[in-house]
Amino acid sequence: LLFEKTYRVNMDSIFKVLNEEYPSIIIEKLDYNDREFAIKMKTLNKKSFYNIINKMSIPFDMNVKGSHLNDLYSININLLKKNNNKSKLKVDELSKELSDLSLDIKKEIYKDKLIIVADKSNLFTLINLLNKLNLLNSYNINIELIKNISSNLELYQVIID
């Protein structure tokens, strides 16, 4: 981490950039917690790669790393962050709110964590919903691509606490 500097991380603006490049990116892993923000993503699209690198480098300096190998573009961001406020909406209340919506997700609460499985479209719908409710910066969020060798489904596991 560059000089151990801490950054103010706004998930709203990060997902605004990711929404713009939504069709061409794969988020392999995203961690947003009390101490750090890290994301690892890939794309086959050169324009998307440079758009993300340029837009993310503005707030995060040299902590945005990109590489290109055999038409595959990788982007990694890893940085210390300043704490954000915790949500006043508990995880079980958030789960009930999500049940009222017509999202095609699977969810359950385990040890005070909301665990969700969703495809890419519903993942971004979920993130946009949290953003509209001003909750996106209020939780620890972990997103991981589920490795699935039996099909071409792009499924994500989301853990919110």
Side-chain angles (χ1 to χ4, degrees), residues 150-161:
S150 64
S151 74
N152 291 332
L153 280 177
E154 190 176 325
L155 293 176
Y156 290 89
Q157 173 183 279
V158 181
I159 300 174
I160 300 174
D161 67 335

Side-chain angles (χ1 to χ4, degrees), residues 20-37:
E20 292 170 4
E21 305 300 334
Y22 158 80
S24 63
I25 62 170
I26 294 174
I27 299 171
E28 290 189 324
K29 186 165 180 61
L30 181 145
D31 278 312
Y32 177 83
N33 60 49
D34 293 339
R35 298 173 315 281
E36 69 176 343
F37 168 70

Side-chain angles (χ1 to χ4, degrees), residues 13 15 41 60 62 78 87 92 103 118-119 126 145 155:
S13 59
F15 271 95
M41 62 188 125
F60 304 133
M62 300 298 291
N78 194 345
S87 177
D92 59 333
L103 288 175
D119 64 12
L126 171 68
L145 180 65
L155 293 176

Side-chain angles (χ1 to χ4, degrees), residues 84-153:
N84 290 3
N85 295 335
K86 281 288 192 187
S87 177
K88 292 180 176 44
L89 189 65
K90 294 182 180 172
V91 170
D92 59 333
E93 294 168 337
L94 175 61
S95 179
K96 288 176 189 167
E97 290 293 322
L98 293 176
S99 294
D100 295 340
L101 303 169
S102 60
L103 288 175
D104 186 19
I105 61 173
K106 305 289 185 222
K107 64 180 179 58
E108 86 175 49
I109 295 177
Y110 181 73
K111 293 188 178 182
D112 295 327
K113 295 180 182 195
L114 178 59
I115 302 169
I116 299 169
V117 174
D119 64 12
K120 185 162 114 179
S121 173
N122 283 295
L123 169 68
F124 275 81
T125 302
L126 171 68
I127 297 298
N128 288 329
L129 174 70
L130 291 174
N131 188 24
K132 286 179 185 169
L133 296 172
N134 289 322
L135 296 173
L136 192 54
N137 290 300
S138 302
Y139 293 101
N140 293 331
I141 299 174
N142 174 282
I143 300 171
E144 266 191 72
L145 180 65
I146 297 172
K147 305 290 188 217
N148 186 348
I149 57 173
S150 64
S151 74
N152 291 332
L153 280 177

Side-chain angles (χ1 to χ4, degrees), residues 58-75:
I58 294 167
F60 304 133
D61 305 321
M62 300 298 291
N63 290 298
V64 180
K65 308 282 188 222
S67 63
H68 169 226
L69 181 64
N70 298 332
D71 295 326
L72 180 65
Y73 298 86
S74 298
I75 302 165

